[in-house]
Amino acid sequence: MTAHPPSSPLGALLHAIGIQPRTPDELARALGSTPDALSGMLRTLRSGGYVQDATPQQDGCACGPCALKSMCRNADSAEPALHLLRLTPRGETYLRRLS
Amino acid sequence: MTAPAVTRPPTLIPDEAACADTLARLKAAREPRVVVVGNPNVGKTTLINALAGTNLKVGNWSGVTVEKREAHLNHAGRRVHLLDLPGAYSLSPHTPEELITRTALLDEAPDAVLNVLDAGNLERNLYLTLQLMDYRLPVAVALNLVDEAREKGVQVDSRALSRLLGVPVVETVASRARGTDTVLDSALGHATLGIGVRYPEAIERAVEALSTRMVGVDTLPPHAHRYLALTLLEGDPSVRGRLNATGHAALVQAANAQLLELDTQGLDPLIEIAEARYALAGDIARAAAPQAQARRTVTERLDALALHPWLGIPLFLALVLLVFRLTFTVAAPFVDLIGGPLQDTLTGWASAALSWFPLARDLVTGAIIPGVGTVLSFLPTLLVLYLAMSFLEDSGYMARAAFLMDRAMRSVGLDGRAFIPLILGFGCNVPAVYATRTLERRSDRLLVSMILPFMSCSARLPVYVVFAAALFPRQASLLVWAMYTLGMLVALAFAFVLRRTSYPAEGSGVLLELPPYRFPTAQVLWKHAWRRTASFARRARTTVLATVAGVWLLLAIPAVSGASFATVAPQDSLFGRVSQAMSPIFAPLGFGTWQATGALVPGFIAKEVVVGTLGQIYLGEQAARPAALGLVDGVVQAGRATWDAVVASVSAIPTILALPSLNADATGDLNTPLATALARAFTPASGLSYLVFVLLYTPCIATVGALAQEHGRRFAWTTVAYQLATAWVAAFLVYLIARAVL
Ligand SMILES: Nc1nc2c(ncn2[C@@H]2O[C@H](COP(=O)(O)OP(=O)(O)OP(=O)(O)O)[C@@H](O)[C@H]2O)c(=O)[nH]1
Ligand SMILES: [Mg+2]
């Protein structure tokens, strides 16, 4: 990873996702922004094929009775409430070129 | 969003002649058409309804308007067409609604664009604004929702915004028709070409080249040239399809050539174009609403404390301590009630009813009632504990606790995901073992399964409660809290050691979306707590009942000659003799009696059975020849005791928060016969060591089964062995220290 995060908005966002897959909330915290402000950028990046959902592992987990299920990105609910994002090769290429 | 930009992003300033020209045309239009564009749910339709007195459909969610709608009104002697369009985040269409909006801008030949913005969300909204300005159309901005923004602490300087964008900006509260009259004047009399985003030089050149090709083609309106060129470079398939279908395939070819050229220069126009827009949008938003971040939400302020790097964990531990204090205070009178008077009543009734069947009477009054009854007497404790825990969960705090755990976990080199099974372990170790499946690496699964049984499951709580009450009535909740904390510390210590020695660490992300804090409703709390308490009660009916009956049988079988079944003294029974034989192992820990040892063995089946068996051993004898009790007497006796318990519980509530007496609560006073018996049988030091042993040795046979199923029998038995060893050593150390100190 680059030592200095890029100063361009999308570059900084891709950089943060590149460090580790994260949810929009976590990204907002990491970048000192708000999920609202980031939502548009994430949409752009996702539709442009720079980031994608990092789908959690599907093989069965004993989430049934778990009280933390709603917040857990591993929960085996049909529709994941969370979107964990990670870079696609296209996103990685762009990030590499920035540094 | 990142470090403040040192240099302003470059912009295109439209030339004055072009502005004057568009304005003149707008003013000359006989029946001007104004399109209303903006992000979803910003109040576009509300604004139109307020202007035109129409009744178009509005709603507080995105996507209310899904097709274009028109409203008409008269303004300054002209008939004005207002076009309501579906909400769009951008004009690179990702949704059918965005496509409708984009198509309308291309085809409707609007005389002006009224861009409605959410003042509380400027940065995101401005992206669309800047994209709109790639169309060379006159634009006016309605800065709507200023009331909500102000509530959020966001104050937008509309004059600065107007200066920065180069178009008129009017503040509005559409829902209360505030500012709406000025909006039309502004859109029809002052709308103009705003600033444009200046894209990287190579892209600007490509745009220029493509726009030149569009000049004079009457199916491609001049106001859209720049926008179309950019869209072609972005690779937007719907625009390409449209151009191909309308006889402009050559244009698409030219765009492809430009793209190839840009690619050889290492440029990716799609993201470069978006970067430039976001950079400018962010810059303008920061300049126009400088104190946008000024007021933090309640959740943010609470999180600053809850997630504080140093205070977070102490706060968590303090909250847990408070939970235990509450649990003790409120539940103790009811535990007394069930463990004392109600059991007496039942015993009395049972011995009356079964007086002709001495063996059955022995089983019921000497084993089942004291054994199962003792376990059930902790139902109030668990119910209150679960209520408090549900409160922490549903309020959103538990997610923060997990977040803190995650941090602690990674500091000892564990996969962050490990906190899920570990937190589950506080409820019950069995599902927690299965939850280790969520860990990706086998080594993580094994490691977490090994340390997981140290997390104090709720079945262990009754043991702590009764010992704490018997031996440390003044510090009961503190002691219970210390047991939970000790379990966590031992687990983390093992993780640390095993990780350092056998498995390398791997960084993995935080796993949580932190929900906003909210006050949970009573119904939801009750539902959650009740479900868990009921499952504890179910275990009392099944596992505990069966074990108690088994122990009774073993206690009834004589191990010395001359005694007969069911009349043998307990210490001479099979159970007593075997326990006695094992007790020297525990003598160094301070509790080498056959009773204490004996209770640990059935504890393998389930930890709450430890108190059940203790109840059976210490109380069974005295209950074996109970006085029979009449039905009415029993009801009266039980009713009076219940009333006393309610009064005691309610009147004790104020003492929960009686700080600073953190370690001096008068709340642990349990007066059950079992507590009294234990106070005689144990010293504080040996009681403490007993609790530590119970905390750390194999949780229960079901957990061992789950371990075997997940990781194989060898692993399961290894875990059992090392936990027994850990429990012995830790209890020994605690005993030594406690004896010296207490
Ligand atoms: N507090 C406040 N509420 C507003 C304001 N303007 C609109 N609303 C409310 O915001 C909600 C959305 O309004 P709409 O007019 O349906 O929004 P829209 O932009 O047409 O939404 P879509 O058609 O879905 O894109 C409604 O509940 C309005 O009552 C305002 O200035 N202040
Ligand atoms: Mg609408």
Side-chain angles (χ1 to χ4, degrees):
Chain A
M1 286 303 123
T2 47
H4 293 289
S7 59
S8 60
L10 295 178
L13 195 50
L14 286 173
H15 176 80
I17 297 171
I19 295 171
Q20 55 172 266
R22 300 191 220 204
T23 65
D25 247 34
E26 293 161 4
L27 288 167
R29 261 200 305 279
L31 295 170
S33 180
T34 62
D36 268 344
L38 289 190
S39 65
M41 299 191 206
L42 288 173
R43 235 168 79 99
T44 304
L45 290 177
R46 196 197 298 252
S47 64
Y50 299 90
V51 301
Q52 66 184 41
D53 275 326
T55 29
Q57 273 194 305
Q58 287 307 309
D59 53 345
C61 92
C63 290
C66 177
L68 299 170
K69 190 166 153 183
S70 58
M71 4 184 259
C72 164
R73 62 165 68 130
N74 290 303
D76 53 359
S77 58
E79 168 138 14
L82 300 181
H83 295 288
L84 184 61
L85 299 162
R86 65 180 176 79
L87 295 186
T88 61
R90 187 173 185 182
E92 280 165 9
T93 310
Y94 178 69
L95 197 55
R96 250 198 318 276
R97 267 216 325 268
L98 278 186
S99 58
Chain B
M1 46 154 280
T2 50
V6 188
T7 49
R8 279 273 152 93
T11 51
L12 290 176
I13 311 294
D15 67 280
E16 282 182 28
C19 287
D21 184 40
T22 41
L23 195 56
R25 260 188 289 142
L26 172 61
K27 284 184 170 165
R30 265 235 229 104
E31 290 201 3
R33 298 171 62 77
V34 179
V35 290
V36 180
V37 184
N39 281 13
N41 203 31
V42 295
K44 299 178 293 297
T45 308
T46 310
L47 183 60
I48 291 175
N49 285 341
L51 290 172
T54 44
N55 201 7
L56 304 178
K57 190 173 171 202
V58 299
N60 187 18
W61 60 90
S62 302
V64 176
T65 308
V66 290
E67 53 188 8
K68 63 176 197 241
R69 287 295 191 81
E70 222 172 305
H72 308 276
L73 69 138
N74 290 319
H75 180 263
R78 287 195 286 178
R79 186 174 162 79
V80 180
H81 300 261
L82 285 177
L83 216 62
D84 185 14
L85 291 174
Y89 291 111
S90 82
L91 298 175
S92 324
H94 302 305
T95 61
E97 289 80 22
E98 286 177 345
L99 191 61
I100 293 174
T101 299
R102 205 263 297 276
T103 311
L105 281 168
L106 283 173
D107 297 344
E108 295 287 336
D111 295 290
V113 177
L114 179 57
N115 180 200
V116 185
L117 299 185
D118 172 358
N121 214 334
L122 209 50
E123 188 173 346
R124 193 184 70 189
N125 280 243
L126 283 174
Y127 184 81
L128 177 70
T129 310
L130 292 177
Q131 216 175 2
L132 274 175
M133 290 180 178
D134 290 331
Y135 282 97
R136 305 315 276 163
L137 286 172
V139 174
V141 165
L143 187 65
N144 196 36
L145 290 153
V146 283
D147 54 336
E148 277 192 6
R150 204 161 291 149
E151 260 163 50
K152 276 199 280 180
V154 178
Q155 192 87 42
V156 180
D157 179 349
S158 57
R159 288 214 197 146
L161 186 62
S162 169
R163 201 177 54 244
L164 290 161
L165 288 172
V167 299
V169 175
V170 177
E171 289 187 26
T172 57
V173 179
S175 52
R176 273 180 277 144
R178 272 211 342 242
T180 44
D181 41 350
T182 346
V183 160
L184 265 191
D185 294 338
S186 158
L188 293 169
H190 305 285
T192 181
L193 305 176
I195 55 137
V197 180
R198 186 195 287 278
Y199 300 101
E201 217 33 61
I203 292 177
E204 286 292 352
R205 272 197 305 276
V207 168
E208 187 58 39
L210 291 173
S211 311
T212 315
R213 289 174 149 268
M214 299 182 206
V215 175
V217 184
D218 50 338
T219 45
L220 300 174
H223 74 260
H225 287 179
R226 182 175 169 81
Y227 171 78
L228 282 175
L230 284 162
T231 313
L232 279 170
L233 293 177
E234 285 176 316
D236 184 323
S238 65
V239 157
R240 290 171 162 255
R242 192 184 143 111
L243 290 175
N244 274 325
T246 49
H248 298 296
L251 196 56
V252 178
Q253 296 297 322
N256 287 343
Q258 295 286 354
L259 280 175
L260 226 60
E261 170 62 23
L262 289 170
D263 192 51
T264 56
Q265 298 173 38
L267 282 174
D268 181 350
L270 175 53
I271 194 162
E272 304 279 356
I273 290 171
E275 279 276 32
R277 284 188 195 130
Y278 281 119
L280 188 55
D283 189 68
I284 294 178
R286 274 188 298 275
Q291 68 282 62
Q293 299 281 322
R295 200 190 300 168
R296 292 187 297 169
T297 63
V298 177
T299 291
E300 281 166 341
R301 267 178 286 168
L302 285 174
D303 272 350
L305 191 64
L307 301 177
H308 190 277
W310 297 110
L311 296 178
I313 292 205
L315 184 76
F316 168 66
L317 293 176
L319 273 176
V320 175
L321 180 58
L322 197 68
V323 165
F324 286 131
R325 281 172 65 89
L326 175 84
T327 305
F328 266 89
T329 309
V330 178
F334 294 101
V335 176
D336 278 353
L337 171 71
I338 301 176
L342 289 193
Q343 260 186 55
D344 287 348
T345 308
L346 271 183
T347 310
W349 281 341
S351 63
L354 298 170
S355 55
W356 295 102
F357 311 97
L359 213 54
R361 189 191 61 197
D362 266 11
L363 176 62
V364 172
T365 62
I368 293 176
I369 293 180
V372 179
T374 303
V375 173
L376 284 180
S377 69
F378 293 97
L379 277 183
T381 310
L382 286 157
L383 181 63
V384 178
L385 177 74
Y386 290 147
L387 274 173
M389 287 297 180
S390 299
F391 182 87
L392 290 184
E393 272 170 28
D394 294 331
S395 65
Y397 180 74
M398 221 43 156
R400 273 78 184 175
F403 186 83
L404 293 170
M405 285 265 281
D406 173 82
R407 228 191 272 163
M409 213 124 312
R410 275 185 295 160
S411 70
V412 297
L414 261 178
D415 183 336
R417 239 156 276 224
F419 82 88
I420 299 172
L422 291 181
I423 280 209
L424 276 183
F426 282 123
C428 174
N429 287 178
V430 177
V433 169
Y434 291 119
T436 59
R437 281 186 201 170
T438 56
L439 303 174
E440 259 158 53
R441 301 191 322 168
R442 188 175 139 78
S443 60
D444 283 329
R445 290 198 291 271
L446 292 180
L447 176 56
V448 173
S449 301
M450 278 185 103
I451 61 169
L452 201 160
F454 292 133
M455 304 310 274
S456 189
C457 67
S458 46
R460 278 167 249 193
L461 182 63
V463 191
Y464 309 151
V465 171
V466 70
F467 274 83
L471 301 169
F472 303 91
R474 300 283 124 189
Q475 290 101 355
S477 49
L478 192 64
L479 181 69
V480 174
W481 172 84
M483 285 297 141
Y484 276 79
T485 311
L486 179 67
M488 279 191 276
L489 286 179
V490 171
L492 285 181
F494 266 99
F496 188 71
V497 171
L498 292 174
R499 186 48 108 190
R500 289 299 142 118
T501 51
S502 355
Y503 321 101
E506 179 206 34
S508 179
V510 187
L511 305 157
L512 293 170
E513 196 85 44
L514 297 179
Y517 289 102
R518 53 160 202 252
F519 210 86
T521 64
Q523 287 107 305
V524 168
L525 288 189
W526 180 257
K527 210 178 82 192
H528 286 171
W530 182 250
R531 207 181 46 221
R532 294 179 196 179
T533 312
S535 101
F536 182 84
R538 202 156 40 241
R539 273 159 59 88
R541 274 207 318 267
T542 53
T543 317
V544 178
L545 180 63
T547 316
V548 159
V551 170
W552 175 80
L553 195 66
L554 293 176
L555 275 168
I557 299 173
V560 290
S561 54
S564 60
F565 188 77
T567 59
V568 62
Q571 64 271 23
D572 292 330
S573 67
L574 187 56
F575 186 84
R577 281 302 159 103
V578 171
S579 303
Q580 216 151 24
M582 283 168 47
S583 60
I585 304 175
F586 299 103
L589 312 187
F591 51 87
T593 62
W594 75 266
Q595 293 99 325
T597 308
L600 291 177
V601 178
F604 269 105
I605 293 168
K607 283 277 170 83
E608 64 266 49
V609 171
V610 172
V611 285
T613 310
L614 287 172
Q616 201 172 347
I617 295 172
Y618 286 112
L619 308 180
E621 217 174 344
Q622 74 196 49
R625 302 280 173 274
L629 193 63
L631 188 61
V632 178
D633 291 346
V635 170
V636 171
Q637 184 178 315
R640 199 173 291 145
T642 307
W643 174 246
D644 289 346
V646 172
V647 171
S649 171
V650 170
S651 60
I653 289 177
T655 67
I656 300 169
L657 286 171
L659 295 170
S661 58
L662 258 186
N663 56 357
D665 43 356
T667 56
D669 284 333
L670 274 193
N671 298 313
T672 57
L674 180 56
T676 317
L678 291 177
R680 273 200 303 271
F682 285 81
T683 65
S686 68
L688 212 50
S689 128
Y690 196 73
L691 287 191
V692 171
F693 193 85
V694 169
L695 165 68
L696 299 176
Y697 87 107
T698 321
C700 64
I701 201 77
T703 304
V704 178
L707 286 172
Q709 198 180 342
E710 289 297 294
H711 309 303
R713 277 170 193 225
R714 247 193 54 203
F715 179 87
W717 291 116
T718 311
T719 306
V720 170
Y722 108 96
Q723 275 163 355
L724 280 172
T726 308
W728 197 94
V729 172
F732 181 64
L733 291 178
V734 166
Y735 182 59
L736 282 189
I737 297 167
R739 214 172 38 167
V741 175
L742 293 174

